[in-house]
Amino acid sequence: MGKLQKFDITFKDNKVVYSPGESLSGTLKITTTEALLCKDIKVNCQGFCGVTSKSNDTAWMVEEQYFSSTLSVADKGTLKPGDHSFPFKFLIPASVPTSFEGNYGKVMYRVRAFIDTPRFSKDYKVEKPFYLLSLLNLNDVPDIHGRSSSSVTKKFTYLLGVKTGTVVLKAHSDMKGYTPGQVIQLTTELHNQSGKTTGTVVACLIQKVTYQTKKPTIDLRTLVQVEGAGVKAGKQAEWKEQIIVPPLPQSSLADCGLINMEYFIQISLKSAEASFLLPIHIGNISVDTTSARPSRPPPPTTDPSRSSANPTKLENSRRSEPSSQDQETPTTPCPSPHPAPKPVPRIRVSTSSPSAPPAEMDYLVMGAKGQAPPSHSSLRAVPTPSLPSTHSCLLSTAPQHSHMRLLPAMSRAVAATHKTTS
């Protein structure tokens, strides 16, 4: 580094994980081998989000800045040979998104230091990242209590189009919100009203990330997949399955306008090619199942049993990771006999938030009540005797959430938070 032997940033107590509204303290350490003329020495603390349409590209097409504070720690003068220390302290704003890193965008937080030297001399700069964790309490999500359910009726032809048949596929999860490590209890009912045995039933946990570029980029990933056997002609069967939620970032990335995160359970039937989606939320503090009332009043809706017949559909994407299934239109609900109240715009909880955790970040600590989630190898499928299954529980062949893992320091911070919450 020429005249500089050491140019480094250290945080107080070597802390690298912070919460919104917390202060960040540290020291800029400089060691020079000879006298160094400088015009100014500055330390900057910055948080921003960047998105692009190219995978793993850091030439951001759109950026969003959350804060940028600069502190001058030394004026114009000469740094004598030897060791120099410059303390600094910044206050992190209360409304900033959780750190996140995806294929097409990041939310990053960092501290940078600059040494401005006279003209024709070399300038010096160094930076060090830190990470923000804003816990998502699922009890604050509107209409989180109850279960997520949907159904679809599909008519199809077989025997080269000579015969027609109908299948009725229904499914529901035991809850609408989960934390990593919790188990999704999934129940599927299949009524085969045809003369042909159906294909296998498949349930997938899917992550959908939308990056708001000039033309929104959608990234779909299959995280977990389980499979059950088909149903014989004219028969009806029930399939019960369990899916362990792997380490995942939270659904709601609050205070971020460029990245939106959503999770779904996709239920699909091969051969008859019927499918639908069950929306769910992933958070850090589990749903209080002992509470009989929702934390916030949900917007007025029609009968849940009828509205559930309208499954959500994923948008088509050039970068869809999971295998595509043709989305079918479920049966149309009957109109309510009474006049419906004036519709109120639904509050969207899954707002996006930028974040850029490194490959070492580990969201295992974001499990329910601070309990460490089971490893992927413990994922298993538990069929019911009423429906023999050849299901298997597989994680995506993509790298094991290499871009969504927490540092050990962040793991301890979240675990401590869960103990306090519980």
Side-chain angles (χ1 to χ4, degrees):
M1 297 182 64
K3 298 180 180 180
L4 287 186
Q5 183 177 350
K6 182 179 182 180
F7 188 29
D8 190 24
I9 297 172
T10 60
F11 296 144
K12 184 178 179 180
D13 300 325
N14 293 320
K15 184 177 180 180
V16 292
V17 181
Y18 296 84
S19 300
E22 192 175 355
S23 62
L24 182 153
S25 301
T27 304
L28 173 63
K29 297 181 179 181
I30 302 175
T31 301
T32 60
T33 57
E34 55 183 282
L36 176 65
L37 292 175
C38 62
K39 295 190 298 182
D40 196 8
I41 300 178
K42 297 180 180 179
V43 180
N44 172 264
C45 184
Q46 181 189 38
F48 72 98
C49 173
V51 295
T52 181
S53 60
K54 297 180 181 180
S55 180
N56 301 318
D57 183 17
T58 56
W60 309 121
M61 297 178 61
V62 184
E63 290 189 29
E64 181 179 71
Q65 183 165 283
Y66 306 115
F67 64 90
S68 180
S69 301
T70 302
L71 177 66
S72 179
V73 296
D75 296 327
K76 183 177 180 180
T78 302
L79 283 179
K80 297 180 180 180
D83 297 329
H84 306 271
S85 294
F86 303 94
F88 59 83
K89 185 175 183 179
F90 296 98
L91 180 63
I92 301 172
S95 298
V96 287
T98 294
S99 294
F100 172 78
E101 179 178 297
N103 291 330
Y104 302 94
K106 299 179 181 180
V107 177
M108 300 181 62
Y109 297 95
R110 61 189 179 184
V111 172
R112 299 179 295 171
F114 306 90
I115 300 179
D116 293 334
T117 58
R119 190 178 180 184
F120 303 122
S121 297
K122 180 181 178 180
D123 291 336
Y124 300 91
K125 64 179 179 179
V126 66
E127 71 175 61
K128 185 171 184 176
F130 64 95
Y131 310 99
L132 286 189
L133 175 61
S134 179
L135 298 180
L136 172 61
N137 187 343
L138 290 173
N139 298 285
D140 293 336
V141 177
D143 196 24
I144 193 63
H145 295 272
R147 62 189 190 182
S148 183
S149 61
S150 190
S151 63
V152 64
T153 300
K154 174 67 183 293
K155 292 184 179 181
F156 66 101
T157 60
Y158 56 100
L159 292 180
L160 300 178
V162 176
K163 293 187 177 183
T164 61
T166 303
V167 292
V168 180
L169 183 62
K170 301 178 181 179
H172 69 264
S173 59
D174 58 326
M175 295 191 298
K176 296 180 182 179
Y178 302 88
T179 58
Q182 283 190 316
V183 178
I184 301 174
Q185 303 288 348
L186 186 64
T187 301
T188 303
E189 297 178 11
L190 177 59
H191 189 187
N192 185 5
Q193 303 172 2
S194 73
K196 177 185 177 182
T197 301
T198 69
T200 56
V201 184
V202 179
C204 300
L205 176 59
I206 293 178
Q207 178 193 69
K208 176 184 176 182
V209 185
T210 304
Y211 301 89
Q212 300 296 340
T213 53
K214 187 173 182 180
K215 183 178 181 180
T217 301
I218 299 174
D219 187 19
L220 296 177
R221 300 181 65 234
T222 297
L223 306 172
V224 180
Q225 177 175 305
V226 290
E227 187 173 312
V231 177
K232 294 182 178 180
K235 299 295 183 179
Q236 183 175 359
E238 182 181 75
W239 176 47
K240 291 189 176 181
E241 188 56 272
Q242 295 182 352
I243 298 177
I244 298 179
V245 181
L248 295 171
Q250 60 196 39
S251 299
S252 178
L253 298 178
D255 302 306
C256 175
L258 297 181
I259 302 176
N260 185 59
M261 183 94 62
E262 298 173 276
Y263 292 96
F264 303 92
I265 301 174
Q266 183 185 56
I267 308 296
S268 58
L269 178 65
K270 296 182 179 179
S271 181
E273 297 182 356
S275 64
F276 55 81
L277 300 170
L278 302 178
I280 62 171
H281 297 274
I282 303 296
N284 310 109
I285 301 176
S286 58
V287 176
D288 182 7
T289 56
T290 61
S291 175
R293 62 178 181 83
S295 55
R296 298 184 196 172
T301 59
T302 56
D303 184 358
S305 62
R306 295 177 180 176
S307 62
S308 65
N310 296 318
T312 308
K313 293 185 179 181
L314 291 176
E315 302 176 32
N316 292 330
S317 169
R318 299 168 295 165
R319 300 175 174 85
S320 297
E321 299 291 343
S323 59
S324 60
Q325 297 288 345
D326 293 336
Q327 303 293 326
E328 302 300 329
T329 304
T331 55
T332 306
C334 300
S336 174
H338 301 288
K342 186 177 179 180
V344 179
R346 182 175 180 180
I347 301 174
R348 294 198 56 155
V349 178
S350 52
T351 57
S352 351
S353 107
S355 52
E360 294 81 8
M361 301 188 78
D362 184 0
Y363 281 92
L364 281 168
V365 296
M366 300 167 70
K369 305 293 183 181
Q371 299 176 356
S375 63
H376 292 170
S377 61
S378 64
L379 295 179
R380 60 189 184 87
V382 182
T384 58
S386 60
L387 178 59
S389 63
T390 59
H391 59 284
S392 61
C393 186
L394 303 174
L395 288 176
S396 172
T397 57
Q400 300 295 319
H401 314 289
S402 61
H403 59 290
M404 299 178 198
R405 302 173 54 198
L406 283 176
L407 288 170
M410 194 165 187
S411 302
R412 293 193 295 272
V414 183
T417 304
H418 286 167
K419 288 182 180 179
T420 305
T421 306
S422 59

